[in-house]
């Protein structure tokens, strides 16, 4: 996708929404120092050009009953696009990051039980192009 370069206003909007994705347009305008109409039009443009793909929530890892893990994934050859497409369709896969080093991808998994986590992990390992994985369960949020 060929997306336009971000402006200072766009960056301010993105930073504000990272802190609170539920803020109103009025709050967004006040937070960024933009007029309400400018904040609305810049937000609409960020969504339209793909800089903002979705609005979501983030919960604390300590939420009772939630299982959260980070899974590191090594890929075979040039399979990353196909693997990423498959990963994003798996319920429980929250976010996929490309990285460098020994692991090709970092997968954030959020689910409601260890049984569901095991199912997700099995699905990941069975994706053509995945050659290795290592998972770390997140136990407690200790900072921030």
């Amino acid at each position: 996708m060929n997306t336009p370069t971000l402006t200072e206003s766009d960056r301010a909007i993105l930073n504000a929404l990272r802190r609170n994705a539920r803020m109103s347009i009025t709050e967004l305008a006040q937070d960024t120092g933009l007029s309400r109409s400018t904040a609305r039009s810049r937000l609409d443009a960020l969504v339209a050009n793909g800089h903002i793909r979705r609005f979501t929530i983030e919960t604390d890892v300590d939420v009772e009953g939630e299982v959260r893990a980070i899974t590191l994934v090594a890929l075979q050859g040039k399979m990353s696009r196909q693997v990423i497409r498959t990963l994003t369709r798996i319920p429980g896969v929250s976010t996929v990051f490309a990285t460098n080093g020994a692991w090709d991808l970092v997968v954030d998994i959020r689910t409601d039980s260890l049984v569901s986590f095991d199912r997700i992990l099995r699905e990941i390992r069975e994706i053509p192009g995945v050659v290795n994985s290592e998972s770390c369960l997140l136990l407690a949020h200790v900072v921030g």
Side-chain angles (χ1 to χ4, degrees):
M1 175 188 291
N2 188 11
T3 56
T5 304
L6 293 174
T7 66
E8 287 298 318
S9 296
D10 294 338
R11 285 186 181 84
I13 290 170
L14 292 173
N15 286 333
L17 292 174
R18 283 186 186 108
R19 289 189 306 276
N20 178 6
R22 291 187 55 168
M23 69 174 50
S24 68
I25 289 296
T26 301
E27 292 169 320
L28 184 61
Q30 290 171 347
D31 189 272
T32 59
L34 300 170
S35 70
R36 193 176 181 287
S37 62
T38 299
R40 164 57 69 194
S41 66
R42 293 311 310 147
L43 178 61
D44 290 346
L46 288 166
V47 171
N49 67 30
H51 283 299
I52 296 176
R53 290 188 295 271
R54 62 188 175 132
F55 295 86
T56 186
I57 64 164
E58 179 178 306
T59 58
D60 191 338
V61 73
D62 294 333
V63 172
E64 187 67 35
E66 183 179 51
V67 175
R68 197 154 166 224
I70 298 296
T71 298
L72 307 169
V73 178
L75 302 177
Q76 170 189 4
K78 297 181 180 187
M79 301 283 292
S80 63
R81 287 186 182 161
Q82 181 180 355
V83 171
I84 290 167
R85 263 193 305 275
T86 304
L87 283 170
T88 59
R89 292 186 193 123
I90 297 174
V93 169
S94 172
T95 311
V96 179
F97 299 94
T99 187
N100 65 334
W103 301 100
D104 299 299
L105 302 173
V106 176
V107 181
D108 182 6
I109 298 172
R110 297 171 189 227
T111 189
D112 61 351
S113 69
L114 286 174
V115 172
S116 295
F117 170 71
D118 184 50
R119 176 194 50 77
I120 294 166
L121 192 56
R122 192 172 332 107
E123 283 187 56
I124 291 171
R125 290 178 174 159
E126 292 174 352
I127 297 171
V130 170
V131 294
N132 195 11
S133 68
E134 180 177 328
S135 295
C136 301
L137 289 171
L138 303 180
L139 302 177
H141 187 196
V142 295
V143 177

